[in-house]
Amino acid sequence: MILEGTILAGDEFEPVEGRVVVEDGEIQAVEEAPVESDDIVLPAFVNAHTHIGDSIAKEAGGGLSLEELVAPPDGLKHRLLRQTSYEEKVAAMRRSLQFMQSGGTATCVEFREGGVEGVRAIHEAADGLDIDPVVLGRETIDAMRLDDADGFGASGANDAEFGEERAATTDAGKLFGIHAGEADPSDIDPAMDLDPDFLVHMCHPEPRHLDRVAEAGTPIAVCPRSNLVTDVGLPPIREWLDRTTVALGTDNVMLNSPSMFREMEFTAKLCDVTATEVLRMATLSGAELAGLNYGCIEPGRDAKLLVLDGDSDNLAGVRDPVRAVVRRAETSDVARVVL
């Protein structure tokens, strides 16, 4: 397979006119050469934090607080999930996975409610699709121990201690992620005491937390659109980028569409970050957080790629392709997704 156009190559996404050579699902070469294509070729997205089970309740709970919306066990989301059949949840999750795939997302790092049944449900929802979710079971250690579970996704250190779950996840050699600092800083230290593989949100660090994250090098998945909707405040993304790996996620489908285009544009226009940094947050950083061999176009990487039509009505005339991808592009500009 050969893809031609403007290639956003390497971890700096340097625009290169030429072609990407793919063999057996792996990038073999990036060749600089004159080409006639107006396409823009970039890495497929990695959505670093999702809850897609609540696809059954999009835009429910307007005006409710964060705790009223999602706090276990009786937040609105959890009550609605208990009232919904397994088949309805699978069908709704499949719709969200299809939407993400059509927008160039190769994987989502999913905090999967419902224990063992929840893990099985998302794999059933993804059956036959090209998107390959990284599934972190919740609620029970048995969910994490399933062969098709990739780890454990903890709600927050104020909800439970999670020491046993962390130890079991370490023994299994799987990922452990945990929400922290979303509404206030009270759960950041106990979350970090668990030595997680990554943290989610981190909107309210105190100075010592900035130092602690920098020393540990713990990656952070941020979800700024979600934080705005729940009125908890935006994460200090600039502070985190200066200290550790920061990846971008869309969080609950109940609150936001799982669109990485929308998340990138929002982040780039509201936060003190460059377009290159945002594109890295949406691709390579999420892949690194999840231990995946893609997110950047260079030889030896898995060929998870997105091709945009650079001659679409929206993108024609673009002078800076990286800024265009981050601040302007939409799903309607997608010409091809290679997963």
Side-chain angles (χ1 to χ4, degrees):
M1 179 193 306
I2 294 177
L3 302 175
E4 294 186 343
T6 299
I7 316 301
L8 304 187
D11 59 6
E12 292 296 324
F13 308 102
E14 187 69 28
V16 174
E17 183 182 4
R19 57 182 64 94
V20 181
V21 180
V22 176
E23 293 181 7
D24 298 323
E26 181 179 293
I27 298 172
Q28 298 297 315
V30 179
E31 300 175 348
E32 188 169 357
V35 297
E36 295 184 2
S37 175
D38 293 312
D39 287 347
I40 301 171
V41 185
L42 62 144
F45 301 126
V46 176
N47 191 334
H49 184 63
T50 61
H51 298 269
I52 71 167
D54 50 28
S55 299
I56 53 99
K58 297 168 186 171
E59 303 306 321
L64 297 182
S65 69
L66 175 66
E67 183 174 358
E68 291 169 329
L69 282 167
V70 300
D74 292 320
L76 176 65
K77 176 180 85 167
H78 299 281
R79 298 199 310 273
L80 292 174
L81 286 172
R82 287 195 293 268
Q83 295 166 11
T84 304
S85 72
Y86 177 87
E87 291 76 16
E88 288 173 307
K89 285 183 278 194
V90 168
M93 287 193 290
R94 186 172 182 84
R95 298 293 292 269
S96 289
L97 290 167
Q98 288 174 160
F99 175 82
M100 284 191 275
Q101 179 178 300
S102 69
T105 295
T107 191
C108 58
V109 182
E110 166 71 4
F111 276 42
R112 183 80 296 278
E113 291 87 7
V116 169
E117 181 181 273
V119 172
R120 291 175 175 159
I122 192 171
H123 284 292
E124 183 174 338
D127 185 42
L129 302 180
D130 292 326
I131 187 172
D132 186 19
V134 173
V135 180
L136 305 187
R138 305 186 74 185
E139 300 169 17
T140 69
I141 291 175
D142 286 343
M144 178 276 298
R145 286 180 172 144
L146 292 171
D147 290 342
D148 52 3
D150 300 289
F152 189 90
S155 57
N158 287 342
D159 298 327
E161 293 185 356
F162 293 112
E164 184 177 353
E165 289 84 350
R166 179 53 174 133
T169 307
T170 300
D171 290 343
K174 296 184 178 183
L175 287 171
F176 181 87
I178 185 168
H179 297 75
E182 187 173 7
D184 60 56
S186 63
D187 59 357
I188 295 178
D189 281 323
M192 293 201 68
D193 289 344
L194 294 167
D195 190 25
D197 293 300
F198 66 96
L199 298 158
V200 181
H201 294 303
M202 293 294 280
C203 299
H204 298 284
E206 296 176 347
R208 72 176 186 278
H209 300 135
L210 298 174
D211 294 337
R212 190 171 182 186
V213 166
E215 182 178 354
T218 309
I220 297 171
V222 296
C223 309
R225 279 192 305 154
S226 171
N227 300 147
L228 183 71
V229 171
T230 58
D231 198 30
V232 298
L234 295 176
I237 295 178
R238 178 75 270 154
E239 297 275 12
W240 291 132
L241 282 169
D242 292 340
R243 291 166 170 80
T244 191
T245 298
V246 180
L248 199 60
T250 61
D251 206 9
N252 296 73
V253 177
M254 180 170 68
L255 306 177
N256 292 294
S257 70
S259 167
M260 293 300 284
F261 288 115
R262 286 193 175 189
E263 202 72 38
M264 287 193 302
E265 180 182 12
F266 182 91
T267 303
K269 292 182 177 179
L270 258 70
C271 303
D272 180 21
V273 288
T274 67
T276 297
E277 287 172 327
V278 173
L279 185 54
R280 187 180 298 115
M281 290 165 62
T283 55
L284 181 59
S285 294
E288 290 178 342
L289 178 151
L292 304 169
N293 185 38
Y294 44 89
C296 136
I297 300 179
E298 63 184 12
R301 297 277 187 174
D302 295 346
K304 307 289 188 179
L305 303 169
L306 172 59
V307 181
L308 301 181
D309 178 6
D311 193 39
S312 70
D313 290 341
N314 184 38
L315 297 180
V318 156
R319 302 297 181 90
D320 185 329
V322 175
R323 279 177 61 89
V325 167
V326 169
R327 300 168 68 96
R328 175 178 295 271
E330 300 178 358
T331 299
S332 59
D333 299 313
V334 173
R336 184 176 183 182
V337 180
V338 178
L339 301 179

